[in-house]
Amino acid sequence: MKLLNQSIKYISVSLLFIVGLWAVIFYFSMLNEIKESVDEELENYKRQIVYKVQKDSTILQQSSFEEGFFAIHEISQAEALAAKDRYVDTMLYMQDADDTELELEPVRMLTTVFEHENSYYELSIINSMVEEDDLIEELFRDTLWLYVILIIGILFINNVILQRLWKPFYDYLEQLKNFRLGSSKSLPYAATSTKEFSDLQQTVNSLLQQNIETYEHQKEFIGNVSHELQTPLAIAINKLELLIEKGDLDNTQAENLADILNIIERLVKLNKSLLLLTKIENKQFPDEQNISLNQIVRQNISDMEEIAEYKAISIHLDESGTLSAKMDKSLANIIISNLLRNALFHNISGGKVHIQLSETTFSISNTGANTPLDEKKIFSRFHKSESATSGSGLGLAIVKAIGDLYGFAVSYRYENDLHHFILKF
């Protein structure tokens, strides 16, 4: 999820909490304001009624709310002295213009005391109040609309204004994704006046420049090692072959020279494998193209047909689909060749190799040792099974390195007396 969308998610949740809290506070604040306004009206009604009593004492006979919005009861002096003005919320049966019968309605009541001609009276005055259920419903509706409008506003700001603000960042990020060591000619750049983006760009480009320099040094070192090691080894092999060909050596000397020659040839293969592994890990194979692995598999089977015949190993190819991958062609050939050689060299006489190809998977199974290999170590460098007497121990490590380079999974399992190696693209 993009950073902008992440911010919308958290802002939406935060706004929901804030708006909800605001609605609760606003509700109680508005209710309190309404009550204060009603209380002022009740106080005003009280003064008017007391004044009218001085002019017309018949008003004192109104003892119930059925006759009006106030009621008067005579009380004792002791009760009058102990009484205080009280404002309470209560419910009374009333009939509005749109009501067909009496209904309980919320009212605000003021209960007070006054004196008239040495007598004391309790005066109760009522005034209609807004129904809290209606108030809550209306407030909820308005709050919901407010939240929706705020979210729409934030989405607009996010997709129009903030999108422009973050554009240099996304442009720079896209260039970083497409940047390749050894093939990209210039460092990523995005024009921006935002300090944070400029600092990020300078820091990342500085790291990239260091990586480029390290990469070039490693590339030069690998080239030098390849040349400086391969040349003397080749010379040593030629001289040993000449000594053997002269034929003036006894059997012991010839056998010793042959052993030395085999060791040097293994050293040559080891050197080539290590250099290849280093190049793979340094991503020095930028030539990526769509490769048909079916064709490469068939070609490798043809190339190793003589080895299979010599060991009486049958190879069966099952193609249920066309497997294609975007990778360097030479590495595609190496990964198939290494797995097929591994299946042949670690097989038994009269054994079998079964290869399966689908649109997403390459699988190779072979007979061999009756015990499973160590899944944690078989792809490690220089790891060899107990039965292995030759080989550099780098074949499967190279397979794993190529898999890591192109992001496909390499796995092993032992099942039904067969060793299975699976590549999932």
Side-chain angles (χ1 to χ4, degrees), residues 282-328:
N282 288 338
K283 300 181 180 179
Q284 291 180 221
F285 293 88
D287 184 24
E288 295 183 5
Q289 53 185 303
N290 287 321
I291 304 296
S292 173
L293 292 178
N294 299 59
Q295 183 179 353
I296 292 177
V297 170
R298 289 192 294 268
Q299 182 62 48
N300 274 275
I301 292 174
S302 177
D303 293 341
M304 299 185 194
E305 190 173 357
E306 292 183 1
I307 299 174
E309 289 178 356
Y310 176 76
K311 298 188 68 173
I313 297 172
S314 63
I315 301 177
H316 177 69
L317 175 61
D318 179 13
E319 298 181 78
S320 60
T322 300
L323 177 58
S324 299
K326 189 175 182 180
M327 59 189 302
D328 186 273

Side-chain angles (χ1 to χ4, degrees), residues 95-244:
Q95 186 173 5
D96 296 332
D98 56 347
D99 294 336
T100 57
E101 57 184 16
L102 292 174
E103 292 182 359
L104 278 175
E105 299 288 346
V107 295
R108 183 78 166 166
M109 179 185 294
L110 166 62
T111 303
T112 185
V113 173
F114 69 93
E115 179 187 0
H116 177 69
E117 295 179 354
N118 296 324
S119 295
Y120 297 91
Y121 300 90
E122 181 183 72
L123 171 63
S124 297
I125 311 170
I126 59 172
N127 195 359
S128 295
M129 280 283 292
V130 63
E131 294 188 18
E132 293 189 22
D133 291 343
D134 294 340
L135 182 62
I136 291 173
E137 182 180 347
E138 186 67 26
L139 185 59
F140 175 77
R141 191 183 300 112
D142 293 343
T143 302
L144 185 61
W145 274 110
L146 174 63
Y147 179 73
V148 171
I149 292 171
L150 285 174
I151 293 299
I152 293 173
I154 290 170
L155 286 172
F156 174 78
I157 293 172
N158 183 76
N159 290 287
V160 176
I161 300 175
L162 293 183
Q163 195 74 29
R164 293 181 182 177
L165 179 64
W166 283 86
K167 188 177 184 301
F169 172 79
Y170 289 115
D171 290 344
Y172 184 71
L173 185 61
E174 188 63 29
Q175 294 180 52
L176 276 179
K177 290 179 181 178
N178 298 324
F179 184 82
R180 297 292 181 271
L181 283 173
S183 58
S184 298
K185 296 181 179 180
S186 59
L187 294 174
Y189 174 77
T192 178
S193 58
T194 305
K195 184 179 183 303
E196 287 77 6
F197 292 163
S198 297
D199 291 345
L200 174 65
Q201 188 168 263
Q202 291 174 5
T203 303
V204 173
N205 283 358
S206 176
L207 292 173
L208 286 177
Q209 188 62 46
Q210 293 177 21
N211 285 333
I212 291 171
E213 293 174 1
T214 303
Y215 172 82
E216 293 298 332
H217 292 158
Q218 287 179 342
K219 188 176 179 181
E220 183 180 356
F221 172 76
I222 292 170
N224 292 338
V225 169
S226 177
H227 179 268
E228 296 300 329
L229 280 179
Q230 292 295 101
T231 301
L233 288 173
I235 293 172
I237 290 173
N238 289 333
K239 288 187 176 183
L240 288 172
E241 289 175 344
L242 288 173
L243 283 174
I244 295 172

